[in-house]
Amino acid sequence: MSDPIIQIKDMNKWFGDFQVLKDINLEVEKNKKIVVCGPSGSGKSTLIRCINRLEEHQKGTIVVDGTELSEDTKNIETIRAEVGMVFQQFNLFPHLSILDNCTLAPIWVKKTPKKQAEELAMKQLEQVQIVDQAHKFPGQLSGGQQQRCAIARALCMEPKIMLFDEPTSALDPEMIKEVLDAMVNLAKAGMTMIVVTHEMGFAKEVADEVIFMDEGMIIEKAMTKEFFANPKSDRTKLFLSQIL
Amino acid sequence: MKNINFLKPNKQNFYVYFYTGIALFALSVLDVFLSSFFEINTTSFLPSSISFILPIIIGTIGLHLIRIEYSGIKSLDIINKNINTNTFNAFLTLSIIFLIIKATPPAMSWFVFDATISGDSKEACTSEGACWTYIKIWFNRFVYGMYPNEYQWRINISFILLIGLAFVGYFSTEGLKKYLTLYYVIIYPIIAFILIYYLISGGSLGLDWVETGAWGGLSLTFIVSFFCLIFCFPIGMILALGRRSSLPTIRYFSVGFIEFWRGVPLITVLFMSSVMFPMFLPDGFFLDKLVRVIIAISLFEAAYVAEVIRGGLQALPRGQYDAAKSLGMGYWKMHIFVILPQALKLVIPGIANTFLALVKDTPLIFVVGLLEIVGMLNLAKTNPKWLGFAMEGYVFAAIIFWIICYAMSKYSYNLEAKYKTER
């Protein structure tokens, strides 16, 4: 067993007086795929946003790839560069073409030469099958295409970990599949992934472990088969009965 | 039944209505035209009040007759849809047309037919119309201020060079395109400063020194506006970012700075810059009046620009910040490549607004004794030899300012269109 690439210990987070995350303990090993599910407002998104410090936690420790995230972390940008993130609302940069969206960070953050960055970007866009849209602007693409571009953009930084924050929730049903396909391919290629999603089919297909969260706590964490076949807590059973 | 048919046009009587309507409308316009241009009252046999409103009545009836839905005649449909939808709109349309016709002859005679442009003294202007002789004689002063006549070629050459250099962007090759921003933001202003310092100001290179107090007129308007626009924009941008900074010192400094400059009138700022500011300077340290004025206006306008840009920053969704951060960009990279390009694009109309206001505020520099074009007008109109021509002067200044401002607003529309990437 290799060392876990993400280690979260007794992590707590408050928004003002409201406690969003309570005593979170989680270890993710390299190349593992974790699916986080749970009702809305249960803190799933906040949890993965804490992993690249888009949100700051107040108590406990988060260690990503050997570096502890805290206020003193000077090189937070280096860690973020290693952790790709895909958002529910895509968040492509509307003023840049698809190709420029993909090359911006590699060129300016990783100092990749422009030509090399463009080659890599085209390769990634080919992986998600939108290479023919490379010179269009995000506003000209469908939601599914935009989300696939967002995945390609994150991959262009060649991250060690990919975080997905409800990547299919803002999409029309017929577009969900194309995004999920891209994610499945990525999983098969061996990426370490943490995915917040309600797509249980995706969880069954690729996840190694499933985490069920409610009210800021991890209620259940189990291997995928175990989770679906034999959930332990009543809350999980209720949730699964509603969603499946 | 027949009655209704008579009032409503249909396929059978379409052309009857159409031609009658057009004829009545044309008749009413002709009547107003004759009475205002040739003072012929075609309806003088009627009581004066009826004769006055008759064209409106006839015209409204005419427009009523041609108000035919889907006539099949394209231009008629456009007219009906836009200016002739109902009786009230027809009435408004007619009133506006008549007003324009009525106003044209007096305006034309003042501007052109009764105007004087010959001669070289006040005595030439004996007619009722405008005295363009006044503008002609003073034109040189309105453009160059008190700048000595024999040195005016220095201003001409500087401005021609600067205008020429402004168009470099159109001729640059693909490879040099990425340096254009650098050129326009840093190199071009430096060239402008060097030209103005060595050529217009003089004092070295064998050129006689001309003190800034003698500069004036339109050329001074351009110099002050140009440098103020160039300086206030980056300062405003930094203030806008500062106001949103998470560091309290920077934030409070920005808030304080913005609120201070927004809270005082420009005329006070200019007065302070010229009267009080030198008192705080150490002995022997001298800062030219024009430089002080440019700094004062720049700081003043920067506060406004800052708030406009802050509006743009706030309009951006948080997701843009999240996405930039998640890609490993730090504060400056995130702002330079992701946030500011989008925010600035959003605030082009607001920035254009502020810049237009700035250009039109420049006449206020008269309080420190600098006379740009309006200042020169005020000087000229109090000249004993040329009393009584304030009107011509202000009309002239209005036209000049309108041209400058219209060009600027056109340019801002072009920028908006150029950077439009969303549908």
Side-chain angles (χ1 to χ4, degrees), chain B residues 25-224:
Chain B
F25 176 68
L27 203 64
S28 68
V29 173
L30 182 71
D31 179 56
V32 176
F33 180 78
L34 288 176
S35 70
S36 45
F37 276 80
F38 303 103
E39 291 174 15
I40 302 168
N41 192 352
T42 43
T43 51
S44 55
F45 54 89
L46 290 167
S48 63
S49 56
I50 295 180
S51 152
F52 183 72
I53 59 166
L54 194 64
I56 287 266
I57 296 170
I58 293 178
T60 312
I61 294 171
L63 285 176
H64 174 81
L65 292 179
I66 61 168
R67 196 177 303 133
I68 304 160
E69 275 180 81
Y70 309 118
S71 60
I73 303 167
K74 217 172 179 185
S75 46
L76 181 64
D77 279 341
I78 290 170
I79 289 171
N80 279 336
K81 205 175 145 192
N82 292 303
I83 56 171
N84 190 21
T85 45
N86 55 40
T87 311
F88 181 67
N89 282 350
F91 169 74
L92 283 183
T93 304
L94 277 175
S95 311
I96 291 166
I97 292 173
F98 292 169
L99 263 178
I100 292 170
I101 295 175
K102 280 222 187 280
T104 307
M108 288 300 281
S109 61
W110 190 82
F111 272 99
V112 182
F113 297 120
D114 289 346
T116 320
I117 195 157
S118 57
D120 46 15
S121 73
K122 186 184 175 182
E123 279 61 43
C125 295
T126 47
S127 61
E128 290 284 297
C131 179
W132 299 126
T133 314
Y134 163 77
I135 302 292
K136 186 182 79 180
I137 300 299
W138 283 86
F139 187 78
N140 197 273
R141 292 274 153 264
F142 291 158
V143 174
Y144 300 103
M146 295 304 184
Y147 205 86
N149 286 353
E150 65 271 26
Y151 298 145
Q152 279 166 9
W153 60 268
R154 282 153 56 173
I155 293 185
N156 294 341
I157 287 187
S158 309
F159 276 61
I160 289 167
L161 276 176
L162 284 178
I163 291 168
L165 287 170
F167 286 98
V168 161
Y170 287 98
F171 303 108
S172 82
T173 55
E174 207 51 46
L176 292 170
K177 275 245 152 70
K178 56 186 162 188
Y179 300 110
L180 276 185
T181 318
L182 181 76
Y183 169 75
Y184 279 114
V185 175
I186 296 170
I187 300 174
Y188 186 69
I190 291 175
I191 296 176
F193 179 78
I194 290 171
L195 273 175
I196 286 168
Y197 186 81
Y198 283 105
L199 208 53
I200 299 186
S201 181
S204 59
L205 307 174
L207 295 171
D208 284 337
W209 182 60
V210 181
E211 61 144 351
T212 51
W215 303 13
L218 192 57
S219 53
L220 185 65
T221 307
F222 280 130
I223 291 172
V224 171

Side-chain angles (χ1 to χ4, degrees), chain A residues 40-133:
Chain A
S40 53
S42 59
K44 327 179 281 291
S45 293
T46 314
L47 172 63
I48 68 164
R49 286 170 66 87
C50 281
I51 294 174
N52 65 357
R53 213 172 161 74
L54 288 179
E55 302 284 355
E56 292 170 18
H57 60 285
Q58 277 89 22
K59 234 177 93 186
T61 56
I62 303 177
V63 180
V64 177
D65 198 22
T67 314
E68 190 185 336
L69 304 185
S70 68
E71 276 171 38
D72 304 325
T73 313
K74 291 276 188 295
N75 48 354
I76 184 68
E77 277 94 38
T78 353
I79 292 177
R80 282 180 181 153
E82 287 176 6
V83 182
M85 187 153 184
V86 175
F87 301 87
Q88 184 178 353
Q89 298 297 341
F90 329 139
N91 295 344
L92 294 178
F93 306 135
H95 62 300
L96 299 175
S97 72
I98 296 301
L99 184 61
D100 290 340
N101 261 280
C102 294
T103 56
L104 182 69
I107 289 174
W108 293 101
V109 178
K110 285 180 82 180
K111 314 281 180 205
T112 318
K114 191 177 178 199
K115 214 171 155 225
Q116 210 176 317
E118 278 178 358
E119 275 166 18
L120 175 65
M122 290 310 259
K123 214 179 86 193
Q124 295 294 358
L125 289 171
E126 211 176 326
Q127 289 280 311
V128 294
Q129 294 167 15
I130 45 171
V131 76
D132 46 338
Q133 318 279 351

Side-chain angles (χ1 to χ4, degrees), chain A residues 49 52 54-55 77 80-81 83 85 87 91-95 104-105 108-109 111 137 139-140 153 157, chain B residues 317-331 333 337-339 341-342 345 421-423:
Chain A
R49 286 170 66 87
N52 65 357
L54 288 179
E55 302 284 355
E77 277 94 38
R80 282 180 181 153
V83 182
M85 187 153 184
F87 301 87
N91 295 344
L92 294 178
F93 306 135
H95 62 300
L104 182 69
W108 293 101
V109 178
K111 314 281 180 205
F137 284 95
Q140 299 166 307
R153 177 177 72 176
M157 289 296 284
Chain B
R318 191 185 158 198
Q320 292 292 315
Y321 292 87
D322 285 347
K325 281 184 197 163
S326 78
L327 288 167
M329 294 188 201
Y331 182 86
K333 280 176 191 159
F337 297 117
V338 177
I339 303 302
Q342 295 185 62
K345 190 171 75 186
T421 54
E422 293 97 298
R423 267 176 297 184

Side-chain angles (χ1 to χ4, degrees), chain B residues 228-413:
Chain B
C228 289
L229 292 184
I230 280 177
F231 290 140
C232 78
F233 188 69
I235 300 172
M237 204 156 75
I238 288 165
L239 283 173
L241 292 178
R243 193 162 183 169
R244 288 166 60 84
S245 168
S246 55
L247 305 170
T249 328
I250 295 177
R251 187 168 66 244
Y252 289 127
F253 173 78
S254 304
V255 172
F257 187 95
I258 291 169
E259 294 306 336
F260 172 77
W261 290 98
R262 285 208 304 175
V264 285
L266 180 56
I267 204 156
T268 330
V269 173
L270 290 170
F271 190 71
M272 301 262 257
S273 80
S274 110
V275 180
M276 289 196 37
F277 181 67
M279 291 197 271
F280 301 123
L281 284 179
D283 283 341
F285 190 87
F286 174 76
L287 205 53
D288 189 88
K289 188 158 72 177
L290 181 62
V291 176
R292 293 200 304 259
V293 160
I294 288 176
I295 292 173
I297 299 181
S298 299
L299 294 179
F300 181 85
E301 296 293 341
Y304 286 87
V305 171
E307 287 296 276
V308 173
I309 294 179
R310 191 168 69 94
L313 291 173
Q314 271 170 350
L316 286 191
R318 191 185 158 198
Q320 292 292 315
Y321 292 87
D322 285 347
K325 281 184 197 163
S326 78
L327 288 167
M329 294 188 201
Y331 182 86
W332 289 109
K333 280 176 191 159
M334 172 171 83
H335 277 94
I336 291 170
F337 297 117
V338 177
I339 303 302
L340 282 174
Q342 295 185 62
L344 294 181
K345 190 171 75 186
L346 281 175
V347 299
I348 288 173
I351 295 277
N353 230 356
T354 312
F355 280 7
L356 288 178
L358 188 157
V359 171
K360 290 190 286 183
D361 276 346
T362 51
L364 283 177
I365 61 177
F366 81 88
V367 295
V368 299
L370 289 171
L371 300 177
E372 47 64 73
I373 182 163
V374 178
M376 287 309 296
L377 282 170
N378 284 330
L379 191 71
K381 81 171 186 211
T382 52
N383 185 308
K385 282 193 206 153
W386 289 95
L387 287 175
F389 296 113
M391 176 92 140
E392 284 83 348
Y394 286 125
V395 168
F396 176 69
I399 293 170
I400 297 283
F401 270 101
W402 186 83
I403 291 171
I404 297 172
C405 293
Y406 185 70
M408 284 173 70
S409 74
K410 258 282 178 246
Y411 181 67
S412 88
Y413 292 140

